[in-house]
Structure formats: structure tokens, C-alpha cells
Amino acid sequence: MVLNYIWIVFFIVAFVASILRSATGDFTVWSEVMGASFTSAANAFEIALYLTGVLSLWLGLMKIGERAGVIHVFGRLVSPLFSRLFPGVPKDHPAMGSMFMNMSANMLGLDNAATPLGLKAMQELQSVNPQKDRATDAMIMFLVLNASGLCLIPISIMMYRAQAGAANPTDVFLPILVATFMATFVGIVSLCIRQRIRLFDPVLLSWLGGMAAVIGFIVWFFSSLPRETVQLWSGMIANIILFSVIILFILAGIRRRLNMYEAFIEGAKDGFKTAVMIIPYLVAILVAIGMFRASGAMDVLTDAMASVVVWLGFDADWVAALPTAIMKPLSGSGSRGLMVDLMNTYGADSFVARVSASIQGSTDTMFYVLAVYFGSVGVKRTRYAVSYALLADVVGSVSGIIAAYIFFR
């Protein structure tokens, strides 16, 4: 419903802005706006076509990892942490495994693969919910962790950058890692305080402290290097991790004597179906955004924001990426469309495009996650889920902007 209103607003504002430009004697605006609609529609299909192979590849590999037992091993490794974050869920409950698989897909940047796993986890959490229309603390913790969207390998964003012609598509890996960690860290800590989970539990403290120490060291180390070296190391680390994940899944499959080809094909089919499903959404949002920008409305908005930022005494180079941050909690496809549009407008390697990518990878689509996940189990009383998910989203966006300055300025 929210996306419906946003979509309508884009078209109405574009129409009004076109009328205002015509009033100044600029009648070319109408041809620019309509030309943008056709160009954007074509770009949307090309993007979806390109992503078909990427999604098929990674969903196929995920299926191998699942059947090879890698996911189960990871589940046992994080069991001490989960048992403390979700004290209301029995340790051996199936929800634990589903939640971990969902978060694993999120961490690998496979957003569309994470959704069905997340819906299954919500159904299993609902089975231990005494009040079926009211969200439990465990549900809220799970939803905020999803909304904060901890992502170790932002595959889709790197692929969008590659498709847009970026010289080094993986150079946003570390900025996104920093931003998404900060969003998740703040989400966990704030919810632990709200739900009266003992933050100073040795196991929980060691996990959070260890993660913070690693991220802090990465930021300190790379911020002290020249810009060219930072981009080189950032891309190299991302590619090593990606390749290592592939090898890990394959070796585990060999050990289990799986028919990995068939497993891969089964997962790849799901990837193909997912890619086809997103075409209408990409066309809808990219056309609306393209016409909105062609009308001049986006320039007016960003110029006004830039003026305010400059008046406050801050650097305004990032302001053009602000619409991505505003759209992010409302619509994943919308914010993705804005990110792609910025890459097409300013160049994939421009600073504003990198800021937008850092924001895009910092968190998940908050309202979409809450609506779909709670709606799937009939929960109407979401309690404090929205406010804490929004807190994580704001922290992620701000951290993404700051991280972009650290790594690209």
C-alpha cells in the first residue's frame, strides 16, 4: 500500500514539475519525460535479465550448501548466541534453524532467497506464541535483525555496479560491511535493553564485542591507507570471501557425496523464477523515477537539501544520494531504482553513486519486512517493532554515508 502511494506521488509530482517548467518556456520537458519512460523501461528489463544469471548461480550454490549440511554446522556455531537473543524459544525448536538459514541468506546478500526462509521462521515462532495476534519478543528481535539486514557479501549491489560499468564493482564491500554492522549492533543492543536481556552475559558480550573489535580494526586499518590501496584491498577481500564460500559449499558436497549438479539446477530454477518475478516491479519503479528525474523534480529536491546542508556547515556532496536513504525503509525496489538511476546519471564510480550503494546495503526494507512477515502469521499488534526497526534503519543510513567518506574521500 505504501509503495502504491509513493508510485502515484512520483507521477503526479513529475506532471506538476513538467507544467511548471513549461510555464517558463521550456517545452522540451514533455519529450524528455516521455523519453525517460521508454528508456527506463528498457533499462529495467536489461537489469533483470543480467540478474537472472547471478540469482540462478547463488541460489543454486545455496541449495548445495543446504544439502551438504553447511547451514546446519553454522547453526550449531551460533546456537550459543541465538539461545540468548531468543530466550523465549526452546533451544531445539525448528525456528532456530529457520532463523539462521534466513540470516545466512541475508548475510550472503541473497535477499530473495532469505524471504521464504524468514516466512517459515515466523510461522514456527508463531507456534510458540500464546497470543496469536500479538508479536512476541522473539518475533520482534527476529524482525529487527532482518530489517537491520546484516550483510557480509552484498552480491546484488556489486552486480548492479558491474552492470553499470564500475571499474571495481566490489569496492563498496567494506563501507557496506561497516554500515550494516552498525545498524545490526544498535538494533541488538537497543532491543536487549528493551527486552531486559542481560547484555553483560559472557557469551553475548563476547560475540558483540568480538564483532565490534573486528569492524573497528577494519575501519582503522583501511582509513589509514591511500585511497587506491583501500579500493584494491576492499575488492580483493570481497572476491576472496566470495570464492571461499563457493569452494566451501563444493567441498562439503563432495564429502557428502551429493549429486551437486542436480542440487544446483534445483536452486538455479528458483533463481530464474525470482528474476522473472522482479521484472514488473523494476519496470514500474524505474519508469516512475525516470520520469520524476526528467521533469526536474529530483533536482529541485536535492538542491533544496544541499542548500540546507551547506547552510548548516556540512559537506553536501552526498546529498544527491539522500533520496535512497528516504526510500530505503519504504521500498526495496524503490531504493534500488534510485541507486541504479544515480549510477546511470552520475556514473557508477562517482562518489554519490558509492554513497547510495553504501546506504542501499546498510539495511533491509523495513516496512516491507514488517508487513510481509507479520502479515504471514496474522499478527496485528506489532508493539514496538516499528520504532526499533526504524532506529536501526536510520543508524545504517548515517553509517553508510560516514563510511563512504572514510573509504572514498
Side-chain angles (χ1 to χ4, degrees):
M1 185 63 70
V2 173
L3 182 56
N4 175 56
Y5 292 137
I6 294 172
W7 192 64
I8 292 172
V9 167
F10 271 127
F11 282 113
I12 293 176
V13 173
F15 183 71
V16 172
S18 298
I19 292 176
L20 293 176
R21 280 183 58 183
S22 296
T24 65
D26 185 3
F27 298 107
T28 61
V29 62
W30 299 105
S31 60
E32 292 175 3
V33 169
M34 291 310 301
S37 68
F38 295 116
T39 302
S40 298
N43 288 339
F45 180 77
E46 291 173 3
I47 290 169
L49 185 63
Y50 180 82
L51 288 177
T52 300
V54 178
L55 286 171
S56 297
L57 168 65
W58 281 97
L59 290 184
L61 291 170
M62 281 290 289
K63 182 64 68 175
I64 294 175
E66 179 183 342
R67 291 187 178 179
V70 176
I71 302 299
H72 178 67
V73 172
F74 287 163
R76 288 191 299 175
L77 291 175
V78 299
S79 177
L81 174 64
F82 275 29
S83 64
R84 286 159 176 80
L85 291 179
F86 305 97
V89 181
K91 292 184 178 181
D92 58 347
H93 196 275
M96 291 292 192
S98 295
M99 286 191 293
F100 174 74
M101 291 179 67
N102 163 261
M103 293 178 190
S104 297
N106 274 327
M107 287 189 289
L108 291 173
L110 302 174
D111 302 333
N112 294 295
T115 300
L117 296 172
L119 294 176
K120 183 180 179 183
M122 283 297 290
Q123 292 170 358
E124 290 167 348
L125 288 172
Q126 181 73 330
S127 68
V128 293
N129 183 4
Q131 301 182 45
K132 300 303 182 183
D133 66 336
R134 183 175 184 269
T136 63
D137 286 349
M139 285 180 172
I140 295 174
M141 177 67 79
F142 176 62
L143 264 295
V144 171
L145 286 175
N146 261 269
S148 62
L150 180 61
C151 182
L152 301 183
I153 308 175
I155 297 169
S156 61
I157 293 177
M158 291 190 289
M159 293 304 101
Y160 279 118
R161 285 180 50 75
Q163 197 272 342
N168 185 4
T170 60
D171 60 8
V172 295
F173 167 66
L174 286 176
I176 290 175
L177 177 61
V178 171
T180 190
F181 169 77
M182 289 302 302
T184 302
F185 184 82
V186 170
I188 291 175
V189 171
S190 61
L191 274 180
C192 283
I193 295 173
R194 178 64 174 77
Q195 297 180 0
R196 297 182 180 179
I197 296 174
R198 193 160 64 97
L199 269 173
F200 294 101
D201 178 280
V203 174
L204 184 57
L205 197 61
S206 63
W207 274 84
L208 295 179
M211 293 171 66
V214 170
I215 297 298
F217 172 77
I218 291 174
V219 173
W220 170 80
F221 177 73
F222 282 97
S223 63
S224 63
L225 298 177
R227 177 180 173 183
E228 294 77 11
T229 307
V230 170
Q231 295 182 12
L232 174 64
W233 278 87
S234 176
M236 184 180 70
I237 291 173
N239 290 322
I240 289 175
I241 292 177
L242 287 172
F243 200 14
S244 298
V245 169
I246 295 174
I247 296 300
L248 175 63
F249 285 174
I250 291 176
L251 292 178
I254 293 174
R255 183 174 179 273
R256 288 290 185 92
R257 298 182 179 179
L258 294 178
N259 187 329
M260 287 184 286
Y261 182 78
E262 289 187 0
F264 178 87
I265 294 300
E266 181 179 341
K269 287 180 179 178
D270 293 334
F272 180 81
K273 294 176 183 176
T274 300
V276 172
M277 286 175 59
I278 68 174
I279 293 176
Y281 299 96
L282 279 174
V283 171
I285 197 65
L286 286 182
V287 168
I289 292 170
M291 296 177 73
F292 181 80
R293 179 178 287 280
S295 70
M298 183 68 78
D299 293 334
V300 172
L301 177 63
T302 53
D303 288 345
M305 292 181 177
S307 299
V308 173
V309 172
V310 171
W311 180 75
L312 293 173
F314 298 107
D315 183 88
D317 289 349
W318 60 273
V319 172
L322 189 57
T324 304
I326 296 173
M327 181 67 72
K328 182 63 179 175
L330 301 173
S331 166
S333 59
S335 60
R336 190 181 306 117
L338 287 168
M339 178 187 70
V340 172
D341 189 63
L342 286 173
M343 287 191 288
N344 291 335
T345 303
Y346 295 95
D349 291 323
S350 64
F351 177 69
V352 66
R354 285 167 167 162
V355 171
S356 180
S358 299
I359 293 173
Q360 176 70 16
S362 64
T363 57
D364 207 335
T365 310
M366 184 194 76
F367 286 110
Y368 170 82
V369 170
L370 295 178
V372 172
Y373 282 28
F374 278 136
S376 68
V377 293
V379 170
K380 299 178 181 178
R381 298 161 60 190
T382 60
R383 301 167 68 197
Y384 51 87
V386 173
S387 57
Y388 281 80
L390 185 59
L391 171 64
D393 187 271
V394 171
V395 170
S397 294
V398 173
S399 299
I401 295 170
I402 295 174
Y405 271 92
I406 293 173
F407 288 97
F408 301 122
R409 282 301 201 189

